[in-house]
Amino acid sequence: MTPNPGLLPLLAERDPDAPLAWRAGVPLSTRQFLADVARLAPQLPAQGAAVNLCSDRYDFIVGMAAALVRGHASLLPPDARADTLSRLRESHGDGLFALVDDPALQTPGMARLVIEKAAGPAPGDAGGGADTAAVPMIDAERHAASLLTSGSTGAPQPHAKTWRTLTGDVAVAVERLCRVLDLPSLAGLTLVATVPVQHSYGLESSVLLAMLGGAAFDSGRPFFPADVAQALASVPRPRALVTTPFHLKTLLLSGIALPEVDLILSATAPLSPQLAAQAEQALHGVLLEIYGSTESGQVAMRRTTETEVWETFGEIRVHAEPGGEDGNERFIFSGDFLPEPTPMADVLELLDERRFRLFGRANDLIHVAGRRSSLAHLNYHLNSIPGVDDGAFWLPDEVADGVVRPIAFVVAPELTAAVIVAALRQRLEPVFVPRRVVHVKSFPREGTGKLTVRALREFALAQLAEDGTPVRLLHTVPVDHPAFAGHFPGQPLLPGALVLAEVQEAIRRVPALLARLGAHPTLAAAKFLAPVRPGAVLAIELNPEASGGGVRFDVRCDGVVAVTGRWTPVAESPR
């Protein structure tokens, strides 16, 4: 009988009694997985989409597979916070239902189904006569999952994937992994992942790589180094560690004895050659980096200790075309499992249509004193300094003497700022060497180890405000601001009250200043010295006072002070 080309299997061909997953060292067979899916699918509602909030990888994939069998898409939010779920309801309607494996997790306004950790049939048991080893076939064009990433507004942005796209995405990665490892298949390989399964990389390189590539996976998500070592030791070899540069560096710095692995996969940020070599030496495995995005899935790979050049998977090709928002080239990936040409938010150097070097995010490029670099490049050199446990460059809005000056934040308890600056002078052009290095205890990284632009900005402003450092922010006045219509014909200017409102908004964006002044500060003094015209760029400088808890401010337009004054947490007599 000819297979239906419109259907694709839920699982790759495999021994039904071989482990698909491991939970705390106990194997869970493919047969048991299929029985658990068959048991759960009829319990799902007839309509709607599943919001999969399971933290255990086995529970997660039982829920996702049951939803596929039932005909539902799975929505994968980055977290289970109440405001995230509320935004999902606003954008997708009231037909959503949540799949959870923690009975204590609440989902306000959303029906909830708790996935029980059922025992399932014993190996070799056909489950009362039913063929529990029969693999369901899924419509290849079915909307299988929507990965939800938080945009700049904080609202989850969906990236829909069909089952054909997910299957093709994994297939090209399996082919490359088998070639690099010189293996006929991934059968017998067990994956231990530190990344959340709701993230595109965590989904592709843990549960889907096992389901569609013949491997197995550990059901947990170890975070602390001791937990990672324990999880690796609990599964047989050959085994792989699926991780990120941040998690990998934390693991290697811990000093904990680590079990040997056969493969290390890393993604979410470029890895330094030094850290890659250190990881291969400590774990005795081959380290491969994966390049991709939520929109495209994984599209390229490199072995970092051998080359800086990335090579695309399968028949994927990349080309450059003009038309980026900043006037620069865009780099478009197309072919193979990609349903349509997909642009990347990165700057690449193309060697040919399948090989490239990665320079960093397009919105990561910075200009200092006429020179161009990327924050990723600066962070790479900062984190390559021995003794720097974690570090990040930040470029403030501040303009001093016409030159923006970068600041380096570091977790480096044994190093002084002078030592770090001296090391950076050996690695960077002089204009990018920071004038200031700020020591911090940790960074507000996400579960994948990523440090978002927004989180770093808020963190940096808070750190600088805590030690009394002036905080400087920029705001561009819209040329079509409605206030200009009445103030004044022929000579439009922004009313002083609106300038003060922008100062208040700037204070709200700095947690340390907001805590200092409270939600309703008092305007103790204000002087209006120059007009603010349409299109003006306001440089707002906030200076925490050494005593009294007040904050002085200056608002400059083209270097000229337009407004100056002072806010206090309590009412004072105006001067």
Side-chain angles (χ1 to χ4, degrees):
M1 182 175 179
T2 304
N4 186 338
L7 299 176
L8 292 170
L10 179 67
L11 294 172
E13 186 175 345
R14 59 193 300 146
D15 179 355
D17 294 316
L20 172 66
W22 293 79
R23 178 182 281 148
V26 177
L28 302 170
S29 71
T30 301
R31 190 184 301 275
Q32 175 170 337
F33 167 75
L34 292 171
D36 289 341
V37 171
R39 182 184 302 109
L40 178 63
Q43 300 178 41
L44 303 185
Q47 304 293 329
V51 180
N52 198 324
L53 304 176
C54 297
S55 58
D56 179 281
R57 283 175 214 275
Y58 182 78
D59 293 340
F60 170 91
I61 206 58
V62 167
M64 181 175 172
L68 273 171
V69 170
R70 184 72 161 153
H72 301 313
S74 292
L75 308 184
L76 312 182
D79 55 67
R81 296 182 304 170
D83 61 331
T84 300
L85 301 183
S86 176
R87 290 191 179 100
L88 276 181
R89 293 196 306 273
E90 291 174 2
S91 59
H92 290 80
D94 296 327
L96 303 180
F97 59 93
L99 296 175
V100 304
D101 55 356
D102 177 4
L105 180 62
Q106 299 301 310
T107 58
M110 190 180 297
R112 187 185 65 149
L113 195 154
V114 180
I115 296 181
E116 303 290 343
K117 290 181 171 53
D125 178 9
D131 183 6
T132 58
V135 175
M137 301 298 290
I138 307 298
D139 182 348
E141 306 309 324
R142 177 169 296 163
H143 177 194
S146 279
L147 293 147
L148 300 161
T149 58
S150 294
S152 58
T153 63
Q157 306 297 315
H159 302 281
K161 309 286 184 177
T162 66
W163 188 238
R164 184 187 301 279
T165 297
L166 292 177
T167 300
D169 187 2
V170 173
V172 293
V174 169
E175 185 275 332
R176 180 69 57 80
L177 288 173
C178 289
R179 176 151 53 92
V180 171
L181 297 174
D182 194 24
L183 294 172
S185 74
L186 297 184
L189 179 70
T190 302
L191 308 158
V192 175
T194 66
V195 286
V197 72
Q198 281 83 1
H199 185 271
S200 59
Y201 167 50
L203 176 68
E204 295 160 347
S205 296
S206 61
V207 295
L208 290 185
L209 193 58
M211 292 176 61
L212 303 173
F217 63 90
D218 177 69
S219 69
R221 186 198 155 192
F223 179 80
F224 295 106
D227 296 332
V228 175
Q230 182 179 5
L232 288 171
S234 72
V235 299
R237 294 188 68 180
R239 55 194 170 215
L241 176 62
V242 180
T243 190
T244 70
F246 173 71
H247 292 153
L248 187 58
K249 186 171 185 178
T250 301
L251 181 65
L252 297 178
L253 287 173
S254 69
I256 291 175
L258 300 172
E260 293 185 3
V261 304
D262 301 270
L263 172 67
I264 309 162
L265 294 180
S266 179
T268 72
L271 196 64
S272 71
Q274 299 97 318
L275 186 57
Q278 185 182 355
E280 288 194 346
Q281 182 178 11
L283 292 162
H284 304 279
V286 173
L287 185 144
L288 300 173
E289 279 193 272
I290 295 174
Y291 173 78
S293 68
T294 303
E295 295 85 349
S296 68
Q298 48 196 358
V299 295
M301 181 181 285
R302 70 176 178 181
R303 183 171 181 184
T304 317
T305 55
E306 293 184 349
T307 180
E308 63 177 343
V309 176
W310 301 83
E311 183 180 349
T312 62
F313 288 132
E315 297 303 316
I316 295 175
R317 299 292 186 264
V318 56
H319 70 276
E321 64 179 37
E325 294 182 1
D326 55 3
N328 294 324
E329 290 180 315
R330 295 195 312 163
F331 297 90
I332 312 297
F333 287 75
S334 59
D336 225 315
F337 62 86
L338 295 173
E340 59 185 10
T342 304
M344 290 291 191
D346 291 308
V347 178
L348 311 178
E349 177 191 2
L350 301 186
L351 303 181
D352 55 41
E353 62 181 3
R354 295 199 58 194
R355 299 182 307 131
F356 61 90
R357 292 187 179 93
L358 173 63
F359 287 151
R361 306 285 289 180
N363 61 0
D364 202 32
L365 296 178
I366 62 172
H367 295 80
V368 177
R371 306 294 292 174
R372 187 177 79 161
S373 186
S374 74
L375 291 173
H377 174 75
L378 301 182
N379 291 340
Y380 163 83
H381 286 290
L382 178 61
N383 283 281
S384 69
I385 298 172
V388 174
D389 297 342
D390 197 6
F393 271 84
W394 180 64
L395 199 67
D397 294 335
E398 168 190 359
V399 176
D401 302 325
V403 177
V404 178
R405 299 294 180 181
I407 298 173
F409 293 86
V410 296
V411 179
E414 304 300 324
L415 301 181
T416 65
V419 168
I420 294 171
V421 168
L424 289 173
R425 286 199 179 104
Q426 303 301 315
R427 294 166 165 81
L428 303 177
E429 292 186 70
V431 295
F432 297 112
V433 175
R435 287 185 171 178
R436 185 171 182 194
V437 174
V438 180
H439 283 76
V440 297
K441 293 182 179 179
S442 63
F443 287 94
R445 294 187 179 274
E446 296 181 339
T448 59
K450 281 188 175 181
L451 181 61
T452 66
V453 172
R454 180 175 181 178
L456 177 59
R457 176 186 176 83
E458 294 176 353
F459 175 78
L461 292 173
Q463 292 293 323
L464 296 177
E466 284 180 357
D467 65 3
T469 301
V471 175
R472 297 176 177 86
L473 303 99
L474 299 181
H475 172 72
T476 300
V477 179
V479 295
D480 57 352
H481 196 292
F484 291 130
H487 301 81
F488 294 94
Q491 291 291 329
L493 59 84
L494 193 68
L498 294 183
V499 179
L500 294 177
E502 290 300 335
V503 176
Q504 278 192 295
E505 180 59 29
I507 290 171
R508 292 191 188 98
R509 290 160 58 188
V510 184
L513 296 183
L514 184 60
R516 169 186 279 253
L517 292 175
H520 304 287
T522 297
L523 181 64
K527 293 182 180 179
F528 300 90
L529 306 175
V532 176
R533 302 296 187 187
V537 177
L538 304 181
I540 302 172
E541 179 176 306
L542 306 170
N543 291 276
E545 294 178 332
S547 60
V551 174
R552 294 187 176 276
F553 66 89
D554 291 317
V555 181
R556 289 181 169 83
C557 292
D558 297 325
V560 176
V561 176
V563 184
T564 185
R566 177 170 175 263
W567 293 92
T568 63
V570 294
E572 293 185 4
S573 299
R575 292 193 294 271

